[in-house]
Amino acid sequence: MLLPTEVVTDKVFAKRDPADGSPAEIPLFIVRPKGVSKSNLPVILLIQEAFGVNSHIQDVARRFAAQGYVVVSPDLYYRTGVWQTFGYTEYPATANAREPLTEERTMGDIQASLDYIADLEGADETRVGVIGYCMGGMLSYLTASHFSDRIKSSVVYYGGGLTSQNPKFPVAPVKRTNQIKVPVLGFFGGMDRGIPKEVVEQVDQALNASNNDHTIVYYPEADHGFFCNERQSYHPAAAQDAWHRTLIWFDEKLEIHSI
């Protein structure tokens, strides 16, 4: 299949169940290859970092779309303001936007996104992969535990909090590993002080114990956020290798060449 290089973007509002106190609509950033709207293309559900659906996340979405995917990225911060973004040196400023996020609400957001994908022209709802970075990495892992019946694979880039719990996320995501029935690919950096190697090993062990088809890639010289070329921690070699591995992974798990 010849892969398209041009993409088109859109911002839409999808219906959402407001029973948990959330708004009745959630904003979604959509990117798709140009000129193939009637094809049943595989889908990537792209979950933001703690800094919002910013220029980097939108760029990643375009990069995936240029490879032949329909990409959907929900704005998880819409409860405190639509399309909020923050600079990479402004993490404390994200606190207000993150405050409403709980496991129930974020998984409700994911469900609304998946429901939208089911009716999205040109998207094949039977071939959906989820990927997340930073905060989104943890949510990608949780998505696999909640929606293994609706996705084909989960990819986790340096997801924080995988082994911890708090009142908003009362069960550590790693404790939900036995609910994951889809393949998992994970990327972590050895210089990431927030995600020590013991945590990565604990996640790997949990996936092994559940007989999950998974691959964990560990870059000893890379730090947190190594994939993002807008961060000081950007590590070109690790980023390029991870991108290559991710494309091969989704190509296989979402059967992109079967269309």
Side-chain angles (χ1 to χ4, degrees), residues 40-43 113-120 122-129 149-152 254:
N40 287 323
L41 298 177
V43 183
S113 301
L114 291 170
D115 290 345
Y116 184 85
I117 289 168
D119 294 325
L120 180 59
D124 185 349
E125 65 171 310
T126 69
R127 293 188 292 156
V128 179
D149 60 331
R150 301 187 68 176
I151 68 170
K152 290 289 188 182
L254 303 187

Side-chain angles (χ1 to χ4, degrees), residues 196-209:
K197 191 172 185 179
E198 308 86 77
V199 166
V200 180
E201 291 173 343
Q202 187 175 339
V203 173
D204 191 29
Q205 291 166 4
L207 289 165
N208 280 328

Side-chain angles (χ1 to χ4, degrees), residues 22-39:
S22 298
E25 292 184 320
I26 179 173
L28 303 176
F29 179 69
I30 312 291
V31 193
R32 67 174 81 212
K34 186 176 182 179
V36 289
S37 61
K38 294 185 178 180
S39 301

Side-chain angles (χ1 to χ4, degrees), residues 34 56 70 79 86 133 163 230 233:
K34 186 176 182 179
H56 172 63
V70 173
R79 294 175 180 85
F86 303 87
Y133 301 82
T163 61
E230 296 183 18
S233 58

Side-chain angles (χ1 to χ4, degrees), residues 137-145 154 156 162 173-174 177 180 203 207:
M138 180 271 284
L139 294 176
S140 179
Y141 199 89
L142 267 184
T143 296
S145 72
S154 169
V156 177
L162 289 171
V174 72
T177 302
I180 298 176
V203 173
L207 289 165

